[in-house]
Amino acid sequence: MNFAEVIGQEECKERLLQMTREGRLPHAIMLCGPQGVGKKALAVSFACHLLGEDNPMVKKLEHPDLHFTYPTIKLPSMGSDHTPVSDDFAAEWHKLLMQGPYFTMDEWMTAMGGENQQAIITAGESDELVRKLSLKSSQGGYKVSVVWLPERMNIACANKLLKLIEEPPSQTVFIMVSEEPDKLLETIRSRVQRIDVRQLPTETICRALIERRGISEEAAHRISRLANGSWLKALQELQVGTENEQFLDLYISLMRLAYQRKIRDLRKWSEVMAGFGREKQKRFLQYFLRMTRECFIYNFKQAELVYMTQQEEDFARNFARFVNETNILAIYDLANRAIRDIGQNANAKIVFFDFTLQVIVLLLQK
């Protein structure tokens, strides 16, 4: 895997290469930014660069000095005293990564065989890292540890990783990939060199869709605007029967039932939502936020500011007037509280039923 597989992000690529050329490579780097902008792709490509891109083991991502850490779950088949670590899912991780470095947490959960669980990085993982990185480099060069989503470390793991970063083994480079760096310990954030990976320009996504996916310029332009700077979102828009279509149906159903005050039907709607895995529940709530924002903007009748599919716009045409200055901020706060509660493993049926009742009140505000 090399930098040619990374969509855009030329400035970040050059910054990483320049640090290597000038001999000032820090022992810990953290690539930060929203989902889908290429952080994981940059991390893996840079790790391969450090270990030698021409090495056959590097090309297959099987180099003995390349270590991956990522969130895991506990499967029913695991013993009660077993703490899950990355090595438990090494085959699944390798298969997914070899298909391409752009994938979501939900795709990773599916690969692991997880459903309604929260994936975390356990204290056992940091113990494994200490063991692996204490060994001498097999090739006499760098040992590289790529940590995907370090914000999902539990506190015990975070404290152990902090000690490892404070006193890193010789010629060890940590490359962290974070979407929510503020959730990390301040002491960890202060000991890494942060590189912000920004949203991709619409033009970059459009060109990549044409060159790499072979779609028409018109379709690429529409999809690249909807992608909002994320290559992952662009790929999702390409898929037939995307999840967003299901989310739109759920959004329309919620808003209609809430407006009509159909409490029993809203309870059924809540039960449907509770049946999804927690990662999917959070993605729906993010979609809810985006769609609500688009409905609010639609009222200004400025087409260049609206980022919706034709189906979304068809619904917004009649619904948008119910999202206005009196309720938009309260709706945003409501959805963000639900995202927080789901992330903290609250009872999903209760969270979503309360959510629907609050939507009734907010929609009727004048």
Side-chain angles (χ1 to χ4, degrees), residues 7 9 32-38 196-202 204-205 227-231 233:
I7 308 297
Q9 304 299 355
C32 304
Q35 186 185 78
V37 297
D196 289 312
V197 186
R198 307 192 185 283
Q199 290 181 320
L200 293 165
T202 300
T204 299
I205 295 177
N228 193 30
S230 169
W231 178 247
K233 289 183 181 178

Side-chain angles (χ1 to χ4, degrees), residues 4-276:
E5 296 184 45
V6 182
I7 308 297
Q9 304 299 355
E10 300 304 324
E11 184 178 340
C12 289
K13 295 176 189 176
E14 179 56 30
R15 183 174 175 182
L16 291 168
L17 292 173
Q18 187 175 7
M19 287 191 300
T20 308
R21 288 195 301 266
E22 295 178 354
R24 53 182 184 85
L25 182 64
H27 70 274
I29 298 169
M30 186 161 66
L31 302 173
C32 304
Q35 186 185 78
V37 297
K39 304 181 300 300
K40 185 168 358 81
L42 280 167
V44 177
S45 298
F46 187 51
C48 290
H49 172 76
L50 293 176
L51 294 171
E53 296 171 2
D54 295 331
N55 188 316
M57 291 186 293
V58 172
K59 290 181 178 179
K60 295 179 181 179
L61 300 180
E62 294 176 344
H63 195 286
D65 295 322
L66 176 59
H67 307 287
F68 289 104
T69 294
Y70 35 81
T72 59
I73 58 174
K74 186 156 188 173
L75 298 175
S77 58
M78 295 176 176
S80 59
D81 59 344
H82 178 74
T83 301
V85 293
S86 295
D87 282 353
D88 293 327
F89 300 94
E92 292 84 355
W93 174 263
H94 184 264
K95 180 180 179 180
L96 192 59
L97 195 57
M98 288 299 291
Q99 293 171 0
Y102 293 87
F103 56 83
T104 64
M105 171 55 70
D106 190 56
E107 290 174 289
W108 173 230
M109 292 290 288
T110 300
M112 286 192 291
E115 294 180 355
N116 195 18
Q117 295 191 56
Q118 291 278 76
I120 65 169
I121 301 177
T122 67
E125 185 66 38
S126 53
D127 293 335
E128 279 293 291
L129 266 181
V130 170
R131 181 186 63 80
K132 292 174 181 177
L133 298 177
S134 64
L135 301 174
K136 288 187 64 175
S137 168
S138 66
Q139 306 292 311
Y142 287 111
K143 292 174 288 183
V144 183
S145 172
V146 177
V147 183
W148 184 45
L149 304 182
E151 57 266 32
R152 288 184 177 245
M153 293 186 292
N154 63 22
I155 190 64
C157 179
N159 284 324
K160 290 182 178 181
L161 183 62
L162 173 61
K163 292 181 180 179
L164 194 57
I165 293 175
E166 287 178 330
E167 300 177 9
S170 176
Q171 285 191 290
T172 297
V173 178
F174 293 92
I175 309 175
M176 301 183 187
V177 178
S178 177
E179 293 174 4
E180 299 176 288
D182 290 344
K183 290 186 176 181
L184 275 166
L185 293 176
E186 170 59 31
T187 43
I188 290 181
R189 298 202 304 268
S190 66
R191 285 165 175 76
V192 302
Q193 181 160 331
R194 173 170 173 162
I195 297 177
D196 289 312
V197 186
R198 307 192 185 283
Q199 290 181 320
L200 293 165
T202 300
E203 299 75 18
T204 299
I205 295 177
C206 185
R207 184 170 62 253
L209 286 169
I210 295 170
E211 295 175 355
R212 301 186 184 218
R213 299 290 164 162
I215 68 174
S216 69
E217 186 172 344
E218 181 181 353
H221 178 69
R222 179 186 64 81
I223 291 172
S224 61
R225 290 186 78 247
L226 290 171
N228 193 30
S230 169
W231 178 247
L232 269 177
K233 289 183 181 178
L235 295 181
Q236 289 168 356
E237 288 294 334
L238 280 176
Q239 298 173 4
V240 178
T242 63
E243 185 177 71
N244 278 5
E245 292 176 358
Q246 181 188 22
F247 286 170
L248 175 59
D249 289 340
L250 288 165
Y251 185 90
I252 292 173
S253 176
L254 168 62
M255 292 308 188
R256 286 177 175 167
L257 292 173
Y259 181 76
Q260 297 167 9
R261 306 188 197 184
K262 293 187 174 181
I263 306 300
R264 286 187 179 180
D265 290 333
L266 285 171
R267 183 176 180 178
K268 292 178 182 177
W269 184 94
S270 304
E271 290 172 351
V272 170
M273 287 301 307
F276 296 151

